[in-house]
Amino acid sequence: MKQVHVEPTQQVWKDPRAIALLMAATLTVMANATISPALAGLEEMFKDDPNVLWLSRLLVSTPSLTVIICAPLAGVIADRYGRRALLLVGVLLFAVTGSAGLFLPDLTSMLVSRLGLGVAVAMVMTAQTALIGDYFTGDQRSSLMGLQTSARNFGGFLFISMAGVLAVNSPRLPFAIYGLALLMVPFLWRYISEPARHAGGARKTANAENDGAAAWVLLLGALAVLQMLTNMIFFLMPTQLPFFLDAQGYDSASMTGAALGALMLSGGTAALLYGRIKVRVGYSGAFTLAYGFMAVGLMLLTLQRTWGVFLGTAAMGAGYALAMPNFPAMALQVAPSSRRGMAGGVLTSSVFLGQFLSVFVSIPLIAAVGFAGTFQIVAIALMCMALVGLLVFIWRSVRKATTAFVRLEN
């Protein structure tokens, strides 16, 4: 495979490797949320199934189960045997298992195919995260993290909007969108090459990095837990929004597609600004803004107005887009280069663990206090998280100012 050489000063979005990885990033949101506009229709199509209430909702979150299990294993494989093959096989498997819902006869068989889709997502996301760490450093890496989130959101806007239109005609048609992954394979094959690996040098580098970041495993664990909680909250949108809108008397398929489209569009726009925001306010400031926006978004949804739906989902999308680049950027900063695959696998598992648990937490909570009560409770929790981020930001700013003053005095 021919190695692609790029000048160090070249802007990251002009690097064909970055473009290829951004294309792969769009598969993440396609994996689960694409069929959200079809959920109400699938529930109606299979209404004779006694478990239709749970099965229809689990179609969205089921891939998360196998991602949780397989992503750490994919990380080990990526570190030991390489990233490129893992990425290519994952994309091919993604297209096959994702589009299977077009012809499978019932919800149970659809759930089985979604388990296979989760294996594919684990392979793609883990390899992609490791490759970003291998190919890029410093400002280029941070910039690509924001672009990655933006690509996922703009890709989600396109895919979910398409799904909303297709679901009006048949709840099966949105599954066809997964086949688009096949169009990415030639580009990935051409531009994604296996990073050079020198075992002796890698071990020395890993030891040096471990000396500088002895607590990297604990830091990675903390990041994974926070990322899990963030995704658990955010996943209220694709799993519960269709049913919330249906309860409000809207056309669930078309309104869900439009609302989630607004969410993805605002998220993609906010992610483009992530690099500039992070430079100005740091990770803690980005978290503060992110959780603040998400809290406001949920409160707007409780107003139960059409404009509140669109503004609320847009705020949720912007907040989520500002939070998510922080996690891989911080993880790749602390993890040794020889463990980037494992770091990517752990973070991938945490994303989908949050998505999977979201259904089991939200359904009983909604049954107890309703949609509005659930959104209010979660909004309060988000405000508390934003407050913690603000306190950390203030503490770091004061410490920085104090250090600067002491140096000036000396």
Side-chain angles (χ1 to χ4, degrees), residues 327-389:
F327 297 110
M330 296 172 72
L332 290 176
Q333 184 176 327
V334 301
S337 59
S338 61
R339 299 296 185 89
R340 286 173 183 151
M342 191 191 79
V346 169
L347 288 182
T348 299
S349 288
S350 75
V351 168
F352 288 90
L353 180 59
Q355 293 179 1
F356 186 76
L357 292 177
S358 179
V359 175
F360 295 97
V361 174
S362 62
I363 288 180
L365 188 58
I366 290 169
V369 300
F371 285 105
T374 298
F375 293 160
Q376 289 169 355
I377 291 171
V378 176
I380 292 172
L382 284 166
M383 288 304 299
C384 292
M385 294 164 71
L387 180 59
V388 172

Side-chain angles (χ1 to χ4, degrees), residues 35 42 59 98-102 110 114 171-179:
I35 64 167
L42 289 170
L59 282 176
S99 58
L102 276 170
M110 287 183 184
R114 304 289 284 177
R172 286 186 179 271
L173 286 178
F175 288 97
I177 296 174
Y178 292 93

Side-chain angles (χ1 to χ4, degrees), residues 181-249:
L182 292 175
L183 301 178
M184 302 179 186
V185 174
F187 197 82
L188 294 171
W189 181 276
R190 171 67 180 83
Y191 290 110
I192 296 299
S193 58
E194 189 64 36
R197 303 177 68 196
H198 303 286
R203 282 192 295 268
K204 291 179 182 178
T205 301
N207 291 335
E209 289 172 323
N210 273 315
D211 290 340
W216 75 271
V217 173
L218 294 177
L219 290 171
L220 180 63
L223 287 171
V225 171
L226 183 57
Q227 186 176 237
M228 180 195 70
L229 293 174
T230 302
N231 280 273
M232 186 186 300
I233 293 169
F234 178 76
F235 220 56
L236 286 170
M237 296 297 97
T239 58
Q240 299 304 332
L241 188 63
F243 304 100
F244 169 71
L245 294 175
D246 188 59
Q248 301 304 313

